[in-house]
Amino acid sequence: RVGLQYTTPSNLNASADDLVIGGGSGSKGLTIFTGAFDNGAIFFADGTSGGEQNRGSISYAHSGNSLRFGTSSTERMRIDGTGVGIGTSSPSTSLHISQSQPIITLTDTDTSVSHQLSGQSGSRHLNLKVDTGGSSGSPVFNLSMQDSTKLSVLNNGNVGIGTNSPSQKLDVVGSIEVSDGIFIGGTGTANKLE
C-alpha cells in the first residue's frame, strides 16, 4: 500500500487502499498531464492480454476534448462539447442514445410521487407526467404545456382533452373541428356522420 500525505492507508476501505492520497483534511487531487493531442486514461484490468487489459476504462481524449467511459472492453458513453452520447461516439444533442432498441426507464423509490419528463425554454414549458393516481393506484398520463394539462390518459384507456377526468374513451371539453366526417360503428358510407 502507498499513502501520499498519509502513513496508514490500511485504515481505509480494503477494496481501494492500495493508493491513498491525502490525510483527511484540505482539498487533494490527482492530475494526468498529457500532450495537447494525446489521451489520458485509467484502465481496470483482470488479465494481461486482449480485452482483459481494459475491462473497464475512463479516458480523456484531448484531440477532440471528450471524456469516455467503457465497460467490457467497449466504450459505452462519451461526453463532449455537444452533449452525452450513449452507444454513439458522436452525440448530436444534449443526450443522444443510439442502440438497436433504445429505452429510457424511470423507476421511483417512492410510490407516492410521479414520473416526469420536463422541458423548459424561457417561460415556455412542456411536461410529460405519469401520476400515481393517489390511493386508487390507477396511474394517469398527462401532457401539460405552460403548466396546464392539455391531454390526460387514464388507466382504463379513457382519453381526455380539456379534462383531467374523461368518462368516455374520448372525452373532449371544447369545440372539435373535423374535416372529413366521423365514422360511427364502422367505416362504410352509412356509418359516416358529416
Side-chain angles (χ1 to χ4, degrees):
R1 297 179 178 88
V2 178
L4 302 179
Q5 300 182 359
Y6 190 60
T7 58
T8 53
S10 59
N11 287 346
L12 299 176
N13 191 299
S15 297
D17 66 351
D18 295 290
L19 174 61
V20 175
I21 301 174
S25 63
S27 300
K28 309 297 178 186
L30 174 66
T31 297
I32 299 176
F33 189 12
T34 70
F37 299 97
D38 300 314
N39 298 345
I42 299 174
F43 284 178
F44 303 87
D46 57 14
T48 59
S49 63
E52 298 172 347
Q53 300 175 16
N54 62 329
R55 286 290 187 226
S57 63
I58 302 173
S59 64
Y60 191 89
H62 290 271
S63 59
N65 288 312
S66 62
L67 182 62
R68 308 169 183 187
F69 298 87
T71 62
S72 299
S73 308
T74 302
E75 182 182 322
R76 304 296 181 181
M77 182 172 73
R78 181 177 297 198
I79 304 173
D80 63 14
T82 300
V84 178
I86 299 176
T88 176
S89 59
S90 54
S92 59
T93 56
S94 298
L95 176 60
H96 184 167
I97 300 175
S98 178
Q99 294 177 334
S100 61
Q101 187 180 3
I103 298 174
I104 297 176
T105 300
L106 304 178
T107 302
D108 65 52
T109 56
D110 184 346
T111 57
S112 64
V113 297
S114 305
H115 300 80
Q116 297 189 56
L117 291 175
S118 299
Q120 181 174 344
S121 176
S123 61
R124 297 177 291 276
H125 306 273
L126 171 66
N127 190 38
L128 300 176
K129 177 179 178 182
V130 178
D131 188 79
T132 59
S135 59
S136 66
S138 298
V140 178
F141 173 80
N142 290 324
L143 169 62
S144 300
M145 298 178 69
Q146 297 299 93
D147 300 318
S148 174
T149 300
K150 305 301 181 183
L151 181 142
S152 295
V153 182
L154 304 187
N155 192 45
N156 60 11
N158 288 0
V159 177
I161 299 176
T163 175
N164 297 339
S165 53
S167 59
Q168 304 297 323
K169 289 304 178 184
L170 178 60
D171 191 341
V172 180
V173 175
S175 301
I176 300 175
E177 180 177 340
V178 180
S179 61
D180 193 29
I182 298 175
F183 291 90
I184 300 176
T187 58
T189 303
N191 303 96
K192 189 175 183 180
L193 178 64
E194 297 186 86

